[in-house]
Amino acid sequence: MSTIKTAKGVLYELKKQGYEAYIVGGAVRDYKLRMPINDVDVTTNAKPFQVSKIFRTIPTGIKYGTVTVKFKDEQFEVTTYRIDGEYKDDRHPDQVVYSESVIEDVKRRDFTINGLLMNEKQEVIDHVEGLKDLQDKLIRTIGDPYQRFNEDALRMLRAFYFQSKLGFQIEKETRDAIEALRDKLKNVAMERIVNELIKTIQGVHLKKALKSMVTTKVHEVLPGLKKGIEHILEMEEMPYVDPFFVLCFALNDGVVPQAWTFSNKHRHRYQQAAELANMTTTFDAIHLYTYGIDLCTLANKVNYMLGRSKNLKDYIEKTYHSLPIQSELDLKLRATEMIEITGKKAGAWLKDIQQEMVLKILRKELKNDKDVLKTYLIEHIK
Ligand code: ATP
Ligand code: MG
């Protein structure tokens, strides 16, 4: 957490030591927009080692000239003025080159609305015509958009993120450049794409951003999302992150493309929910037992958004909580007892018969009762 008020203290301390320092980026933009401020970043001509002499610091991004400063129980990312070097792989600036000029530092930033500065007197300083674009509600690259997107293609996705967050329009030349260069997104590290995309999905103006993705055809270069995005665009209410991805992957034949670098947990969840949504629109005891309440609810939500079924949330909850059995471990006849009764060694037969019993209990064809299960076991085991 960090605030402008405390950040001004950081600026004062740096100035006192003879350095220049400004608040920069999102905090100044959101301050002008009277929106809640995420975190406050500071840009300065002091080098990281010099910053470390003044404050308690953590070397969070030394490679990029960034240290995290702890000041009055708040944390600030303090970055030395930079000019970014060649962008060889559309991913990372090849090297960090420090600059003596704050103007050079703001010119390397992505959009005009993100290039505003604020001094310790809380005056906003604009070297990039960002104030005008804030007024006009425009997302426009600083400098030639073709060049800026060639340097770092992720900026194209960031344009949609800011659109989703702020509801602004993407300025025409910037938008044209995105359409022309959209294939370059394929060279961007997938982790960075996932990051911006998730932030985009969480924005209040998601629909606007999705519309722009479709007009610029960017949705076609995001693996497996094309049909989903086109569908979501027609919906009234926008989905949260999980239903967003599950809906997309359900429409992608239930496949989560390998390219996506979700955590294993998330990949598995999206995969299962998308398959489940395509498998059924009615959730019976066996689905609930096999997939659990959470995946079934998610799959139903997606089917509802796809117009395939009603919202069955209450029904799913009720059915789940009245399942006659929730796990193999709930069988009233234990595995050890089964081994004893049959005189057989533990093996595949055990799992098979347990599963059989569970299914029959779920279908209400068998009672989960010790004697009943004993009889069933004796009758069904050779
Ligand atoms: P948020 O409200 O999401 O934090 P932000 O504007 O602070 O928005 P960050 O991703 O936190 O965005 O980045 C901080 C600042 O760094 C941006 O405002 C911008 O000036 C600069 N920046 C970030 N990513 C890039 C990039 N890929 N290319 C150029 N400048 C960038
Ligand atoms: Mg930020």
Side-chain angles (χ1 to χ4, degrees):
M1 219 280 293
S2 50
T3 59
I4 294 215
K5 186 161 178 270
T6 312
K8 287 197 302 189
V10 174
L11 303 187
Y12 269 113
E13 294 297 324
L14 283 159
K15 301 257 318 184
K16 215 161 68 188
Q17 303 297 321
Y19 301 112
E20 297 174 16
Y22 301 91
I23 298 169
V24 67
V28 188
R29 177 197 67 221
D30 294 343
Y31 165 81
K32 287 299 291 180
L33 292 171
R34 297 196 166 82
M35 282 177 59
I37 288 162
N38 265 344
D39 37 33
V40 183
D41 298 321
V42 170
T43 188
T44 177
N45 62 349
K47 303 290 186 305
F49 82 92
Q50 294 169 318
V51 177
S52 308
K53 285 185 183 164
I54 304 172
F55 303 99
R56 280 201 297 145
T57 56
I58 313 164
T60 39
I62 285 286
K63 248 177 43 191
Y64 305 103
T66 303
V67 290
T68 299
V69 163
K70 291 189 164 194
F71 188 72
K72 297 201 175 156
D73 290 333
E74 295 184 19
Q75 298 204 1
F76 304 89
E77 302 234 303
V78 176
T79 305
T80 308
Y81 294 167
R82 268 167 41 183
I83 323 167
D84 287 342
E86 287 276 293
Y87 287 78
K88 287 241 171 77
D89 59 354
D90 297 337
R91 288 171 208 206
H92 304 292
D94 242 354
Q95 53 183 341
V96 172
V97 181
Y98 292 134
S99 162
E100 280 305 316
S101 147
V102 72
I103 296 183
E104 282 182 337
D105 184 79
V106 289
K107 295 244 154 118
R108 72 163 173 94
R109 292 171 184 274
D110 48 8
F111 302 107
T112 59
I113 55 170
N114 293 343
L116 297 169
L117 299 166
M118 182 189 277
N119 65 14
E120 70 288 350
K121 292 181 212 142
Q122 218 161 311
E123 295 160 341
V124 173
I125 301 151
D126 181 8
H127 298 293
V128 293
E129 295 180 43
L131 284 174
K132 183 168 187 317
D133 286 338
L134 263 192
Q135 197 97 61
D136 298 343
K137 300 189 187 306
L138 280 180
I139 297 158
R140 179 202 311 267
T141 53
I142 296 176
D144 173 31
Y146 292 85
Q147 185 193 332
R148 302 312 310 282
F149 295 143
N150 269 315
E151 285 168 3
D152 180 5
L154 185 75
R155 289 173 187 151
M156 297 190 269
L157 269 199
R158 284 176 60 84
F160 301 121
Y161 160 55
F162 291 113
Q163 181 163 43
S164 178
K165 176 178 169 120
L166 306 170
F168 287 15
Q169 286 302 328
I170 300 175
E171 176 275 330
K172 181 165 186 320
E173 209 195 335
T174 298
R175 201 175 58 224
D176 288 346
I178 293 176
E179 182 169 352
L181 298 177
R182 62 184 187 277
D183 276 339
K184 294 239 155 207
L185 273 169
K186 291 181 181 149
N187 308 329
V188 176
M190 216 53 185
E191 293 79 8
R192 298 181 76 207
I193 294 194
V194 170
N195 243 333
E196 294 303 324
L197 194 58
I198 288 176
K199 290 194 298 176
T200 306
I201 297 167
Q202 291 166 327
V204 187
H205 305 277
L206 172 60
K207 198 169 190 158
K208 248 186 180 165
L210 294 180
K211 201 173 261 173
S212 303
M213 283 187 190
V214 172
T215 39
T216 53
K217 305 194 189 81
V218 164
H219 72 316
E220 292 177 5
V221 298
L222 301 172
L225 302 190
K226 179 174 185 284
K227 284 187 192 157
I229 288 178
E230 284 168 7
H231 180 89
I232 293 167
L233 193 49
E234 302 301 320
M235 288 166 33
E236 262 180 43
E237 245 185 86
M238 291 293 103
Y240 292 118
V241 178
D242 283 0
F244 180 99
F245 282 117
V246 173
L247 185 152
C248 289
F249 299 138
L251 289 184
N252 190 47
D253 299 325
V255 175
V256 181
Q258 274 307 322
W260 290 104
T261 54
F262 301 120
S263 68
N264 280 339
K265 192 179 121 198
H266 276 93
R267 163 176 295 278
H268 190 64
R269 176 174 163 76
Y270 293 162
Q271 183 69 58
Q272 289 216 301
E275 279 171 24
L276 184 59
N278 287 352
M279 188 193 312
T280 183
T281 50
T282 55
F283 294 85
D284 62 21
I286 295 180
H287 293 125
L288 275 157
Y289 175 87
T290 313
Y291 290 92
I293 188 167
D294 184 43
L295 282 174
C296 288
T297 308
L298 180 55
N300 167 252
K301 186 180 275 173
V302 165
N303 279 338
Y304 174 70
M305 294 189 303
L306 287 169
R308 295 170 173 174
S309 83
K310 288 192 194 154
N311 183 344
L312 302 173
K313 189 169 186 295
D314 292 342
Y315 159 83
I316 287 173
E317 269 167 31
K318 220 175 80 200
T319 313
Y320 183 77
H321 292 298
S322 58
L323 284 183
I325 185 166
Q326 314 244 349
S327 143
E328 259 167 33
L329 298 174
D330 297 339
L331 282 173
K332 289 288 194 267
L333 190 65
R334 292 166 187 282
T336 48
E337 293 169 317
M338 295 194 198
I339 291 168
E340 210 173 294
I341 293 166
T342 56
K344 288 165 75 109
K345 278 196 211 147
W349 67 271
L350 192 57
K351 270 265 165 264
D352 290 348
I353 192 95
Q354 282 180 318
Q355 213 154 26
E356 231 174 271
M357 287 174 174
V358 166
L359 286 181
K360 288 207 182 293
I361 292 168
L362 288 170
R363 290 197 203 105
K364 309 240 161 84
E365 294 164 10
L366 197 65
K367 239 182 120 189
N368 190 11
D369 168 280
K370 194 166 202 151
D371 288 331
V372 173
L373 295 181
K374 235 184 227 174
T375 312
Y376 183 87
L377 177 68
I378 293 163
E379 279 172 9
H380 288 80
I381 278 291
K382 288 128 248 155

